[in-house]
Amino acid sequence: MATAVTEQDQDKGASTRPRAGRGRGALNPRWFGFYALVAIVVLFSLLRPDTYPTMTNLTAILSNEAVGCMLAMALFVPLVAGHYDLSIANVLTLSMICSVGMFQEFQAPIWVAVVVPVLVGALIGLINGVAVTVVGINSLVATLATGSCALGLALWWTNGTIFSENVPSGFQDLGGDLGGIPLPAVYAAVLIVVLWWASERMPVGRYLYALGDNAEAARLTGIPVTRLTIGTFVVSGSIAAFAGVVQAAVLGSGNPQVGPSLLLPAFAAVFLGGTILYLGRHNVLGTVVAVLVLAALVGGLEQLGVPFYVSPLLKGVVLLLAVALTTGRFSKVRSH
Amino acid sequence: MTSEGASVVALSGIRKEFTGQVALDDVSLAVQAGQVHALVGTNGSGKSTLVKVLAGVYSPERGSVLIDGQQVPHLTPARATELGLRFIHQDPALFPQQTVRDNISIGSRYRGSRGVRVDERRERDAARRALSAIGVDDVSPDVRLGALSQSQRTMVAVARAVQDLQGGQRIRLLVLDEPTASLPEHEAERVYGVIRDVAAQGIGVVYISHDLSPLLALADHVTVLRDGKLVASRSSSGLDEAALAQLMVGEEVQRATSSTSRPGEVVLSCRGLRGGRLQPTSLEVRGGEIVGVAGLLGSGRSTLLRLIAGSQPTDGGEVLVSGRRVPPGKPAAAIAAGIAYVPEDRRAQAAFPNLTLRENITGAALSAFRGPLRIDERAERAAVRALLDEFDVKPRDTEKQFRFLSGGNQQKAIIARCARLAPEVLLLDEPTQGVDVRARAQIHEAIKRLAARGTAVLVVSSDFGEVLDLSDRVLVLRQGGIKTTIADPATAQEQHVHHLAGTA
Ligand SMILES: Nc1ncnc2c1ncn2[C@@H]1O[C@H](COP(=O)(O)OP(=O)(O)OP(=O)(O)O)[C@@H](O)[C@H]1O
Ligand SMILES: [Mg+2]
């Protein structure tokens, strides 16, 4: 950040000129993410023409990635305002357990199994928000701690086993498909549209970006910093919990082992997303493209028969690259 | 206050304490409609604190805020905005990664848009109107704020604060806390113009500045604070600069005596140095010599210092200290060679806001107190205390967090940091920005003291009067090159320098 202010002493008027060496039009790096997606799809389609470019594979990828995409959105919202929410993956786990637990333990109706977990997620978000704003705990620490508590609760309730009894087929239908389109992808799409609109088109989105940029300035200009920050955590918790419900519907069971492995891909997607469409700025559409890039890449490699351990390895590398490109040394935006 | 009936905004009996320190003690202030009310006082006298009380950022321990004679019990920043109070704080509350348009619209809460959609076109128009209303046409609403120069940013902050003048909402009061501290004279004129316009529309203006002569020309009424107490509140007519300075300080201000040191050997020399905005430039500075650099914004003056200090990569040429070549583009190498640098943007480039005053001062070199395994904090504290005395940094609290120091005291502390290194070469970029009259004299003294010890000093300032006062020799920069050298600044006219630099 500090570098952003070094050079402008004498840059009168220079600001309107594009920076030398930066591509324009179709060569602008903001489009590179899209090109990567196309390149990956074309490459694997050539390598595996029978299995890769098929409708089956597309719907499989869409329904597999819907939950991950929602989780990335959950990470995205507080990150815009400058806070990390590490609890989301464990909130997802807890929510899965709650959802299936409602059937297994209480034979509850389906709507209860949807609403209760989301409320639990919202509550954890509220606790996160209050811890960060009112109590003043660093968001990394606060959400790491609440996330651990959420996981603890999930393990305590299940005693480490998998919940899967009494799950009505109506609930599993929520994770099925409608006329060939996987429902989880539909939920994710709706969520994406809403968040995209809110972050790019509504005043509240501008306030959040401003808040993430300079919290003290936001306070001085009278933006309700505390309320907005708590709001982002509540939204984040709710989205993560909803993703958990969807995951439960897809699997038809509640497994406390599922959540943790989803956190890193969400990070990778959000940070890689910060290099797409708007350079150096976390944004919804860029994040979606990033999710697809990662999915297309991993899916393709799996079809080529690379070993299972390549996927986490690859996601780790992508995360490093993405962060290097958004905020690190190779950032085109911050180091003016 | 006697005139409370007519005043749009008044503060009465305000007391504000910070841990272990009374920042304001029973201060009252009343601003009439259409009045330019100057608030002056030395660094740390409580001016910004008073402004923040008025803005609802700090709630005072005692006293009340009255608007149109009505007491406002719980003032918050949002409430203050609603009531028509507008602020440009000392650290203008801007968002560097957002566009100019968003920076301005955030101030108006996107009034041109409905709740669910930002109307880009109307917000852009509003931003453009707000900017052109204060005579700024060279800033596009769509660029990132971070890409603008310091003075352009100030103008954006001004535009944001006064945008409602066209918008129909009633503004009662505009408060500007040192808006011109980093602006060269002709840019500052624009701000003065805005102040006059605003006051002419019947809005009260509170104006804070350490630049006393334009301040007296602008102000109708002057309120003076000293150590958090009100010492005078009177009409500005019949008040001159010296009398005002005396009110602020409580004693007569000594102007720094002119330097008597005899220049020695050449310590700093640049040969064909170029990079960024700077054309190939050669110069030599002798030990004990103070060389001023005068130039307008964009003349390459700050670039020159950055290239020497290694904070910007060079495109060619070389820098020598006492005949030894300094590797370019490496701040650490420059420091090792004996070059100390006080950058222009204190907040971004010099301060560690969350560390203590002590750590800020000694951070550059700990070797004096460093044993093999630990830092001798007692020795460190003693050394820092001596420096705080020498440079008169207030409060003398080595453990205070740096960001809680007033602006001028932060600046003095940064200079103390450099002085402590006993550098061979000292580079100063705007060393007295935001510094009060007495501190300014103290900083000048300190610079001369360092020169007397044999340091070669290169100082950049937008205040050409200061450059002439301080220097043994002045280089006038224009469009990236040295235009002329003024060999005898003591007899040169400030107007002449303006002419050479290209303003007048
Ligand atoms: N948040 C804070 N916490 C602790 N002390 C503070 C805080 N804000 C200000 N102070 C102290 O209150 C005193 C008054 O500071 P203030 O910023 O109001 O001075 P000022 O008159 O604006 O000075 P300057 O001209 O240098 O800007 C200073 O001694 C400062 O250290
Ligand atoms: Mg101040």
Side-chain angles (χ1 to χ4, degrees), chain B residues 367-388:
Chain B
S367 46
F369 331 108
R370 199 175 55 194
L373 292 174
R374 62 182 270 275
I375 293 169
D376 182 354
E377 269 205 28
R378 196 127 53 88
E380 188 189 3
R381 233 172 259 150
V384 169
R385 229 172 281 130
L387 279 168
L388 296 187

Side-chain angles (χ1 to χ4, degrees), chain B residues 455-490:
Chain B
T455 304
V457 181
L458 201 56
V459 58
V460 166
S461 173
S462 304
D463 180 348
F464 294 166
E466 167 170 54
V467 174
L468 291 176
D469 267 2
L470 194 58
S471 320
D472 301 319
R473 180 157 61 95
V474 175
L475 308 174
V476 181
L477 242 60
R478 190 166 174 174
Q479 285 163 2
I482 295 178
K483 182 147 188 292
T484 36
T485 303
I486 302 173
D488 189 7

Side-chain angles (χ1 to χ4, degrees), chain B residues 192-239:
Chain B
Y192 303 147
V194 174
I195 291 177
R196 284 193 201 95
D197 281 357
V198 168
Q201 300 187 35
I203 295 165
V205 178
V206 173
Y207 178 58
I208 298 177
S209 172
H210 291 293
D211 205 354
L212 299 181
S213 81
L215 178 132
L216 279 171
L218 272 175
D220 305 311
H221 194 96
V222 181
T223 293
V224 184
L225 296 183
R226 194 193 303 151
D227 296 330
K229 294 192 186 67
L230 190 75
V231 291
S233 186
R234 51 166 288 185
S235 148
S236 67
S237 61
L239 200 61

Side-chain angles (χ1 to χ4, degrees), chain A residues 34-258:
Chain A
F34 291 91
Y35 301 156
L37 181 57
V38 173
I40 290 167
V41 170
V42 169
L43 178 72
F44 286 112
S45 300
L46 292 176
L47 290 174
R48 283 282 177 279
D50 303 329
T51 50
Y52 194 77
T54 58
M55 207 55 205
T56 341
N57 190 30
L58 180 67
T59 47
I61 285 185
L62 285 184
S63 77
N64 283 344
E65 293 307 319
V67 169
C69 188
M70 285 192 259
L71 206 62
M73 293 297 138
L75 185 66
F76 163 81
V77 176
L79 203 54
V80 170
H83 294 289
Y84 288 92
D85 188 347
L86 298 180
S87 69
I88 48 171
N90 291 340
V91 167
L92 180 141
T93 307
L94 178 62
S95 149
M96 278 176 82
I97 303 302
C98 277
S99 192
V100 182
M102 287 296 134
F103 302 124
Q104 175 155 338
E105 307 276 323
F106 308 113
Q107 284 84 34
I110 292 173
W111 68 267
V112 172
V114 174
V115 171
V116 169
V118 172
L119 288 180
V120 170
L123 178 69
I124 295 177
L126 184 67
I127 294 171
N128 284 335
V130 170
V132 169
T133 55
V134 182
V135 187
I137 305 175
N138 180 302
S139 65
L140 276 174
V141 179
T143 56
L144 196 62
T146 53
S148 174
C149 295
L151 185 63
L153 287 176
L155 291 171
W156 166 67
W157 196 5
T158 60
N159 204 9
T161 61
I162 296 174
F163 276 2
S164 60
E165 284 162 34
N166 292 339
V167 180
S169 67
F171 181 69
Q172 293 207 42
D173 288 346
L174 292 178
D177 59 341
L178 197 70
I181 302 169
L183 277 174
V186 174
Y187 308 144
V190 171
L191 182 69
I192 288 162
V193 170
V194 170
L195 285 183
W196 167 73
W197 185 267
S199 64
E200 301 291 342
R201 291 293 143 93
M202 277 169 62
V204 69
R206 306 296 166 93
Y207 297 149
L208 290 180
Y209 276 111
L211 181 54
D213 194 2
N214 186 346
E216 178 62 13
R219 199 171 71 93
L220 288 177
T221 35
I223 293 176
V225 173
T226 307
R227 242 186 306 152
L228 279 177
T229 309
I230 294 179
T232 60
F233 280 106
V234 171
V235 167
S236 159
S238 310
I239 295 175
F242 181 70
V245 173
V246 174
Q247 183 73 296
V250 170
L251 297 177
S253 62
N255 179 351
Q257 311 297 332
V258 169

Side-chain angles (χ1 to χ4, degrees), chain A residues 4-6 8-12 15 197 201-203 206-207 209-210 213-214 217-223, chain B residues 57 94-98 102 109-110 115-118 120 148-149 153 160 277 302-303 306 344 348-349:
Chain A
V5 254
T6 49
Q8 62 315 102
D9 149 42
Q10 306 158 352
D11 273 10
K12 221 175 162 185
S15 41
W197 185 267
R201 291 293 143 93
M202 277 169 62
R206 306 296 166 93
Y207 297 149
Y209 276 111
D213 194 2
N214 186 346
R219 199 171 71 93
L220 288 177
T221 35
I223 293 176
Chain B
V57 177
L94 294 168
F95 305 99
Q97 298 291 335
Q98 316 302 316
D102 278 329
R109 295 289 178 288
Y110 292 90
V116 293
R117 197 174 87 85
V118 173
E120 303 281 359
L148 299 183
S149 74
R153 291 183 201 196
R160 177 168 73 190
R277 210 159 281 255
S302 296
T303 310
R306 279 199 298 266
E344 179 185 26
Q349 293 160 23

Side-chain angles (χ1 to χ4, degrees), chain A residues 9-10, chain B residues 278 283 290-306 308 341-344 411 426-433 444 447 457-464 466-468 470-471 473-475 477:
Chain A
D9 149 42
Q10 306 158 352
Chain B
L278 195 72
L283 58 89
I290 302 176
V291 175
V293 179
L296 300 181
L297 211 66
S299 62
R301 45 182 200 179
S302 296
T303 310
L304 173 65
L305 294 199
R306 279 199 298 266
I308 300 175
Y341 172 47
V342 177
E344 179 185 26
Q411 186 68 19
L426 179 63
L427 309 171
L428 300 143
D429 201 345
E430 306 286 354
T432 57
Q433 54 172 313
H444 288 180
I447 293 172
V457 181
L458 201 56
V459 58
V460 166
S461 173
S462 304
D463 180 348
F464 294 166
E466 167 170 54
V467 174
L468 291 176
L470 194 58
S471 320
R473 180 157 61 95
V474 175
L475 308 174
L477 242 60

